[in-house]
């Protein structure tokens, strides 16, 4: 039995899909489950395996249920579920029927058509493009949930993927929309991009209502407003009209005559043009007539209801510019439009920001011609709801907004994830000693700082939301948004993993939301999904895709497995599939091509560092192996491990190796660590290796990791005695990034001095830059700044503390270390 609860501050009832980890051997693929609430009521559960242990038992499951209650227990059992039926390309889900023929389906509720179809539309450099559905796939069919995947393009450009999530007897369809950018940014610019849903509409125009969600309430209007001067209609009629009641005035001759002297409104549009402002426009639809501006506000709720349909767009203001629009309200078919990029905004400009090389001066791009948005992606979530009657009430609109912006998620307690070893080795918070309290407070402070920075610095926008900045400029009181590789973070030193482990150990919804936004951004915008760099990500830069270094460490599945397994998000599964063979790209683009010359006589065609190159491939392969039980990817890992084990000092050797992408073989080529020894451990390698240990159960693998961690923390004299002068002098900088591996070694070897060194190192990092937060006056007003902040350092310190508390917690002194040993203070300087 597993105890579950809804994440706080989210929708807390109805259909929900969630993932759970299991210990090795605990669950078999054929096992079924039921969900029991605190009242003893049992609900059916649609369950499926998402990952497997090597012995064939289930590592992760995914579940769907209609959960009504506050506390739940998932347990083995069988209960008759709903009855979704699939016939060809039609989904029958109780009173809901969805018929697919194109990109937007026909939707019926209680036998009546409510959405008669629609399309995806794009305007590119003045030319209007419409969607072509090229493939319709029933991706999942179960008793409670069906998923339909539609792939297509806009007349051959801008490929798209749509997923429709349909639940039994539920008048709510969740839609996940992805588009890939394949345009030439110099000659082709997106002016608008959106989805159109068409709904039949009839009846008197005074009963045709529109609702739009603003900051704290709703715009409530009708196609004609019964607030008249002469003759003055009864105030009660107008009040009832605004409240959305259906009026019967057809037989009133005075009203019929008066209607001809009223303004008839045909369309409404809400435009969020920045994270700080939206406006509402309306139009009569008459030729040569202008819009009329309505209310202006701060941050809209992102919902529109009209003609029996409601559409809502997730992260409506966070991912500006965006818009919701309804047109043709005076006709027979209303059009509800969800604009991912509205024409009200300037054309999308994805050109490079400079043609200069700035690698040396600004840690930036070396080859500007590679800074193109080739195949980058963007994913957004939309909800389509059906309602009956003239207009939905406020409480219903509130529920739809919550369901879109904060969808339900069932979660286990942190202790359950920890005991199941979900994502390997990490610690639960403890507050038994002053040192533990001190570290937990620092972890909390670091998260709170970035949570505040997202809002203070307005890290919002379609292409930016979810990412952090890399480095701070205390002279300008600003992040280095314009300085090459110091601008956007792009997964560098895995803040992705920091946030996800922070969620696992705390269970906090606000941490989950930030991690989710980073996952959506980094998995789409920072990754090339098609084109010459398909499967690779762009290194940190001013433009997310602009870094000329295209690397597997940015695109690796290890960043995003958390979100996939916790939520079952199929789009993230697509992305992990895309990168499974990322290493094959190195046959034509050697990651170390600027450092090695090859004459063709080598037994390998390219190179790979143990980290972050080979380690990133391992994350992709391990994910593929556990998801699909594909042993060929396990074998590639084992080939690489054998090559590293054959090196004179195993993991300590290298980190540069020759590499054969076809077989996975690693070839020892000497003692060079291009970029520094720390790169072999600062991109999530320890966390990946610890989880891989659970999969491999190989004593030799454990020994290699243990020796590696111990060596990194040796003194120069000890390193020389344990190896040779070349190995000992390779640098071995930034020991904080190796703390987790050293903590592993301390546990394996029961090495008290090494365990103490881990904590000396991590406390020394805090004392290295003691400049406190301060308030300053800046161009955006008074701000709080941390002058010496570095996202690299923050992410790695937090991640290493979270892991080291589990592995070397017994060596943590009771009191915080105020004066670390000279060894680590010198090392850090």
């Amino acid at each position: 039995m597993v105890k579950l609860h809804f994440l706080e501050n989210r929708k807390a009832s109805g259909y929900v899909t969630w993932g759970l980890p299991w210990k090795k051997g605990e669950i078999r693929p054929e096992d079924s489950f039921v969900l029991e609430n605190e009242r003893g009521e049992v609900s059916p559960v649609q369950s499926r395996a998402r990952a497997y242990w090597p012995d064939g038992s289930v590592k992760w499951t995914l579940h769907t249920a209609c959960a009504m209650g506050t506390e739940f227990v998932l347990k083995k059992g069988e209960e008759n579920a709903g009855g979704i039926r699939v016939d060809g390309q039609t989904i029958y889900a109780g009173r809901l029927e969805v018929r697919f023929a194109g990109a937007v389906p026909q939707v019926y509720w209680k036998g009546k058509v409510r959405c008669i179809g629609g399309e995806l539309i794009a305007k590119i450099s003045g030319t209007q493009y419409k969607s072509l559905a090229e493939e319709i796939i029933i991706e999942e069919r179960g008793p409670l949930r069906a998923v339909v995947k539609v792939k297509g393009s806009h007349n051959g450009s801008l490929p798209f993927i749509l997923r429709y999530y349909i639940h039994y007897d539920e008048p709510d369809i969740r839609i996940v929309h992805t588009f890939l950018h394949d345009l030439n940014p110099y000659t082709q610019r997106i002016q608008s991009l959106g989805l159109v849903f068409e709904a039949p509409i009839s009846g008197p125009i005074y009963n045709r209502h529109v609702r739009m969600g603003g900051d704290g309430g709703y715009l409530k209007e009708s196609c004609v407003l019964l607030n008249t001067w002469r003759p003055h209609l009864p105030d009660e009629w107008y009040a009832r009209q605004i409240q959305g009641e259906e009026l019967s005035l057809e037989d009133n001759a005075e009203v019929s005559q008066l209607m001809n002297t009223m303004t008839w409104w045909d369309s409404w549009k809400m435009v969020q043009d920045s994270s700080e402002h939206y406006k509402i426009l309306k139009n009569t639809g008459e030729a040569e007539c202008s819009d009329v501006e309505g209310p202006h506000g701060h941050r809209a709720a992102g919902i529109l209801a009209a003609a029996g349909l409601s559409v809502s767009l997730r992260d409506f203001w966070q991912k500006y510019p965006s818009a919701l629009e309804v047109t043709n309200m005076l006709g027979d078919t209303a059009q509800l439009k969800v604009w991912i990029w509205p024409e009200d905004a300037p054309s999308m400009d994805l050109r490079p920001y400079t043609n200069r090389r700035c690698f040396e001066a600004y840690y930036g791009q070396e080859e500007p011609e590679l800074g193109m948005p080739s195949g980058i992606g963007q994913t957004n979530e939309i909800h389509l709801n059906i309602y009956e009657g003239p207009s939905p009430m406020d409480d219903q609109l509130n529920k739809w907004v919550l369901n879109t912006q904060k969808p339900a998620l069932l979660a286990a307690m942190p202790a359950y994830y920890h005991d199941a070893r979900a994502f390997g080795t990490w610690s639960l918070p403890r507050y038994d000693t002053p040192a533990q309290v001190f570290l937990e407070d620092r972890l909390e402070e670091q998260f709170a700082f970035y949570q505040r920075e997202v809002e203070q610095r307005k890290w919002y926008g379609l292409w930016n939301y979810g990412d952090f900045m890399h480095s701070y400029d205390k002279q300008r009181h600003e992040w280095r948004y314009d300085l090459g590789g110091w601008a956007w973070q792009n997964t560098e030193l895995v803040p992705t993993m920091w946030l996800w482990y922070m969620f696992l150990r705390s269970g906090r919804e606000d941490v989950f939301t930030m991690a989710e936004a980073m996952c959506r951004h980094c998995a789409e915008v920072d990754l090339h999904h098609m084109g010459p760099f398909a499967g690779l990500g762009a290194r940190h830069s001013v433009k997310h895709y602009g870094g000329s270094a295209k690397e597997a460490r940015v695109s690796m599945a290890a960043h995003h497995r958390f979100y996939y397994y916790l939520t079952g998000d199929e789009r993230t599964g697509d992305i992990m599939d895309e990168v499974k063979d990322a290493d094959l790209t190195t046959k034509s683009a050697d990651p170390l091509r600027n450092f090695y010359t090859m004459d063709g006589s080598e037994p390998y065609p390219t190179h790979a560092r143990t980290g972050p190159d080979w380690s990133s491939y391992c994350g992709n392969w391990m994910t593929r192996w556990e998801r699909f039980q594909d042993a060929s990817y396990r074998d590639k890992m084992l080939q690489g491990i054998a090559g590293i084990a054959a090196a004179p000092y195993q993991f300590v050797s290298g980190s540069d190796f020759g590499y054969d992408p076809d077989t996975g073989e690693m070839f020892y080529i000497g003692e060079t660590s291009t970029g520094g020894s720390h790169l072999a451990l600062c991109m999530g390698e320890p966390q990946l290796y610890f989880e891989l240990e659970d999969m491999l159960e190989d004593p030799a693998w454990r020994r290699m990791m243990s020796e590696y961690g111990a060596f990194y923390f040796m003194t120069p004299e000890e390193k020389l005695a344990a190896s040779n002068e070349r190995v000992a002098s390779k640098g071995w900088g930034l020991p904080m990034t190796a703390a987790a591996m050293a903590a592993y070694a301390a546990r394996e070897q029961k090495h008290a001095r090494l365990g103490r060194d881990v904590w000396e190192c991590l406390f020394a990092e805090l004392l290295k830059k003691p400049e406190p937060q301060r308030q300053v006056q800046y161009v955006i007003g008074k701000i709080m700044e941390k002058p010496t902040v570095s996202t690299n350092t923050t992410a790695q310190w937090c991640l290493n503390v979270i892991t080291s508390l589990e592995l070397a917690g017994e060596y943590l002194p009771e009191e915080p270390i105020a004066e670390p040993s000279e060894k680590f203070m010198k090392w850090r300087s």
Side-chain angles (χ1 to χ4, degrees):
M1 294 197 307
V2 184
K3 293 182 178 180
L4 301 169
H5 62 279
F6 282 110
L7 284 191
E8 73 275 16
N9 302 320
R10 287 181 170 239
K11 184 187 176 189
S13 64
Y15 279 105
V16 58
T17 295
W18 74 100
L20 277 177
W22 302 92
K23 294 178 182 177
K24 194 177 301 183
E26 190 173 6
I27 297 295
R28 303 304 303 177
E30 62 272 15
D31 289 341
S32 57
F33 300 85
V34 295
L35 190 69
E36 183 178 304
N37 66 13
E38 70 278 8
R39 298 184 295 274
E41 298 165 341
V42 175
S43 300
V45 177
Q46 180 176 320
S47 301
R48 46 276 198 212
R50 274 294 195 255
Y52 302 87
W53 290 103
D55 66 357
S57 63
V58 176
K59 188 178 183 184
W60 281 89
T61 50
L62 187 69
H63 308 278
T64 299
C66 187
M68 306 302 291
T70 56
E71 296 178 354
F72 305 91
V73 172
L74 183 75
K75 56 186 182 181
K76 291 183 182 180
E78 292 192 27
E79 182 80 7
N80 291 330
I84 287 182
R85 183 168 57 88
V86 179
D87 184 3
Q89 295 179 344
T90 299
I91 312 296
Y92 298 93
R95 291 173 291 176
L96 179 69
E97 180 183 333
V98 188
R99 302 177 182 176
F100 287 88
V104 177
Q106 289 186 335
V107 181
Y108 292 76
W109 179 250
K110 297 181 180 178
K112 181 179 178 182
V113 63
R114 308 309 298 269
C115 174
I116 60 177
E119 59 188 349
L120 279 63
I121 52 176
K123 189 175 182 181
I124 303 170
S125 297
T127 302
Q128 199 76 39
Y129 293 79
K130 294 186 178 181
S131 55
L132 297 171
E134 297 157 5
E135 193 174 7
I136 299 174
I137 304 163
I138 309 299
E139 197 169 46
E140 180 180 359
R141 57 181 82 198
L144 297 176
R145 188 181 88 154
V147 181
V148 180
K149 180 180 181 181
V150 181
K151 299 176 70 175
S153 65
H154 300 79
N155 294 104
S157 297
L158 291 180
F160 67 80
I161 301 168
L162 286 166
R163 278 188 171 87
Y164 292 86
Y165 292 81
I166 299 162
H167 295 88
Y168 180 75
D169 214 34
E170 178 78 0
D172 170 21
I173 300 174
R174 175 174 171 253
I175 304 165
V176 177
H177 168 266
T178 299
F179 78 90
L180 304 180
H181 191 280
D182 64 344
L183 308 176
N184 183 332
Y186 292 105
T187 60
Q188 298 172 292
R189 295 194 194 177
I190 296 174
Q191 292 172 276
S192 61
L193 181 68
L195 293 82
V196 180
F197 302 92
E198 296 186 339
I201 188 169
S202 60
I205 61 173
Y206 53 75
N207 280 336
R208 301 185 182 190
H209 297 272
V210 171
R211 297 289 184 264
M212 285 182 157
D215 286 278
Y218 299 94
L219 178 86
K220 300 177 180 181
E221 295 193 356
S222 170
C223 288
V224 63
L225 297 171
L226 301 180
N227 184 10
T228 60
W229 180 34
R230 290 189 309 202
H232 182 71
L233 297 179
D235 291 340
E236 179 195 359
W237 292 2
Y238 184 51
R240 290 173 57 199
Q241 182 192 41
I242 294 303
Q243 290 306 310
E245 294 184 28
E246 187 167 8
L247 302 176
S248 299
L249 306 176
E250 293 86 347
D251 297 332
N252 190 307
E254 184 179 43
V255 171
S256 298
Q257 184 177 2
L258 191 57
M259 290 275 285
N260 293 321
T261 67
M262 294 178 177
T263 305
W264 292 12
W265 298 101
D266 185 67
S267 66
W268 284 256
K269 190 174 191 178
M270 172 183 282
V271 180
Q272 185 83 44
D273 49 31
S274 78
S275 63
E276 310 307 301
H277 176 260
Y278 70 84
K279 62 182 177 182
I280 295 176
L281 308 168
K282 60 193 297 187
N283 194 288
T284 60
E286 300 168 45
E288 299 298 324
C289 287
S290 70
D291 290 337
V292 172
E293 282 197 17
H296 287 240
H298 186 205
R299 292 170 170 173
I303 189 169
L304 160 69
L309 293 181
S310 165
V311 290
S312 46
L313 176 61
R314 192 173 187 192
D315 297 325
F316 184 75
W317 61 264
Q318 292 94 330
K319 297 178 77 170
Y320 75 89
S322 53
L324 297 173
E325 182 179 18
V326 60
T327 60
N328 203 37
M329 284 291 288
L330 297 175
D332 298 326
T333 304
Q335 293 187 323
L336 284 76
K337 303 175 182 179
V338 179
W339 293 106
I340 307 299
W341 191 278
E343 197 167 2
D344 309 75
S347 297
M348 193 183 292
D349 189 352
L350 299 183
R351 294 173 298 170
Y353 73 97
T354 182
N355 294 317
R356 291 179 177 271
R357 296 175 183 268
C358 56
F359 181 73
E360 296 297 334
Y362 290 153
Y363 188 41
Q365 64 183 15
E366 191 169 9
E367 301 162 282
E369 62 274 13
L370 300 183
M372 302 288 279
S374 309
I376 64 171
Q378 182 61 235
T379 288
N380 293 275
E381 299 180 34
I382 299 159
H383 276 261
L384 179 69
N385 286 91
I386 298 167
Y387 64 88
E388 298 178 286
S391 181
M393 296 295 101
D394 286 8
D395 61 344
Q396 183 60 70
L397 290 165
N398 291 339
K399 291 177 182 177
W400 289 338
V401 169
L402 184 65
N403 188 35
T404 301
Q405 305 302 337
K406 293 286 189 178
L409 182 65
L410 283 177
M413 297 300 291
Y416 176 82
Y417 296 122
H418 179 267
D419 292 346
R421 295 189 59 78
F423 308 109
T425 301
W426 47 274
S427 61
L428 292 170
R430 292 185 62 182
Y431 302 90
D432 301 327
T433 69
Q436 290 174 342
V437 171
F438 178 87
L439 291 172
E440 294 298 337
D441 286 348
R442 298 296 81 73
L443 289 170
E444 168 56 31
E445 285 176 8
Q446 300 289 13
F447 173 77
F449 171 79
Y450 279 88
Q451 189 177 42
R452 188 189 71 215
E453 283 295 274
V454 170
E455 173 60 20
Q456 178 172 261
R457 306 289 177 169
K458 311 304 180 199
W459 290 342
Y460 300 120
L462 182 70
W463 294 110
N464 295 334
Y465 178 58
D467 208 354
F468 294 162
M469 284 277 175
H470 186 284
S471 298
Y472 197 70
D473 186 337
K474 67 179 181 180
Q475 303 302 327
R476 289 192 289 170
H477 309 298
E478 180 59 87
W479 292 83
R480 302 181 194 181
Y481 68 95
D482 54 354
L483 290 179
W486 288 317
W488 290 109
Q489 190 72 14
N490 280 37
T491 77
E492 181 82 348
L493 272 61
V494 292
T496 47
M497 290 188 178
W498 159 41
L499 293 181
W500 283 118
Y501 284 115
M502 188 76 176
F503 165 71
L504 289 168
R505 70 198 306 268
S506 69
R508 285 172 45 182
E509 189 276 338
D510 58 343
V511 180
F512 182 92
T513 295
M514 187 177 285
E516 179 183 32
M518 184 172 285
C519 174
R520 273 279 184 246
H521 169 88
C522 294
E524 296 289 4
V525 182
D526 299 345
L527 198 156
H528 297 281
H529 304 271
M530 56 190 297
F533 310 117
L536 301 178
R539 187 171 174 265
H540 43 103
S541 185
V542 172
K543 294 271 183 115
H544 296 281
Y545 47 84
S548 54
K550 310 299 183 182
E551 301 190 52
R553 76 189 194 192
V554 183
S555 64
M556 63 180 181
H559 292 298
H560 312 305
R561 297 168 64 248
F562 302 86
Y563 187 59
Y564 175 77
Y565 288 129
L566 289 168
T567 69
D569 182 68
E570 280 77 9
R571 174 57 190 160
T572 305
D574 289 347
I575 293 165
M576 297 193 302
D577 291 340
E578 289 175 13
V579 304
K580 69 182 188 301
D581 296 318
D583 61 314
L584 299 182
T585 64
T586 65
K587 289 195 284 189
S588 58
D590 188 335
L592 301 183
R593 60 190 176 277
N594 295 327
F595 303 92
Y596 291 93
T597 301
M598 299 175 64
D599 61 15
S601 64
E602 298 85 357
Y604 49 85
T606 187
H607 294 86
R609 294 161 291 181
T610 51
D613 305 319
W614 181 79
S615 60
S616 300
Y617 309 151
C618 278
N620 300 338
W621 299 334
M622 183 183 78
T623 304
R624 186 72 181 179
W625 175 28
E626 67 185 3
R627 287 179 65 202
F628 299 103
Q629 298 178 293
D630 189 337
S632 65
Y633 288 89
R634 174 204 61 196
D635 295 344
K636 283 192 83 168
M637 280 191 292
L638 294 177
Q639 284 277 20
I641 291 170
I644 296 168
Y649 302 101
Q650 301 183 336
F651 261 131
V652 173
S653 286
S655 59
D656 298 0
F657 278 72
Y659 179 61
D660 185 346
D662 291 324
T663 64
E665 291 177 275
M666 295 279 277
F667 297 83
Y668 176 70
I669 58 174
E671 298 297 339
T672 301
S673 297
T674 299
S677 299
H678 68 286
L679 285 178
L681 286 174
C682 68
M683 302 291 178
E685 293 94 341
Q687 288 69 33
L688 172 69
Y689 294 162
F690 299 156
E691 186 173 3
L692 188 56
E693 175 191 346
D694 292 345
M695 298 282 285
L696 295 176
E697 295 185 324
D698 181 2
W701 177 249
R702 291 198 295 269
R703 185 179 65 255
M704 287 169 61
M705 290 196 294
S706 175
E707 292 172 354
Y708 190 21
F711 188 90
Y712 210 112
F713 268 55
M714 288 179 181
T715 66
E717 296 76 18
E718 290 169 335
K719 285 186 174 75
L720 183 59
S723 59
N724 60 45
E725 187 172 351
R726 176 64 177 158
V727 173
S729 62
K730 280 193 297 185
W732 305 102
L734 300 176
M736 183 263 290
T737 64
M741 192 62 82
Y744 180 89
R747 186 192 69 177
E748 290 294 296
Q749 300 176 21
K750 303 188 185 307
H751 195 321
R753 194 206 78 183
L754 180 56
R756 170 76 182 196
D757 280 354
V758 168
W759 297 112
E760 293 263 0
C761 174
L762 291 169
F763 277 96
E765 188 63 45
L766 290 180
L767 296 172
K768 178 193 171 198
K769 298 177 179 180
E771 207 168 339
Q773 294 190 50
R774 65 190 183 193
Q775 188 178 72
V776 297
Q777 190 71 33
Y778 181 46
V779 65
I780 60 175
K782 285 185 178 180
I783 62 168
M784 289 295 296
E785 71 170 5
K786 188 186 289 187
T788 51
V789 67
S790 156
T791 303
N792 276 0
T793 300
T794 300
Q796 276 297 295
W797 187 86
C798 292
L799 190 55
N800 277 275
V801 167
I802 288 170
T803 310
S804 297
L805 281 169
E806 181 71 6
L807 293 169
E810 64 182 297
Y811 304 116
L812 176 67
E814 285 210 2
E815 297 292 333
I817 301 174
E819 296 184 8
S821 66
E822 186 178 349
K823 166 185 173 181
F824 286 101
M825 294 307 287
K826 279 185 176 180
W827 207 350
R828 291 305 299 125
S829 65

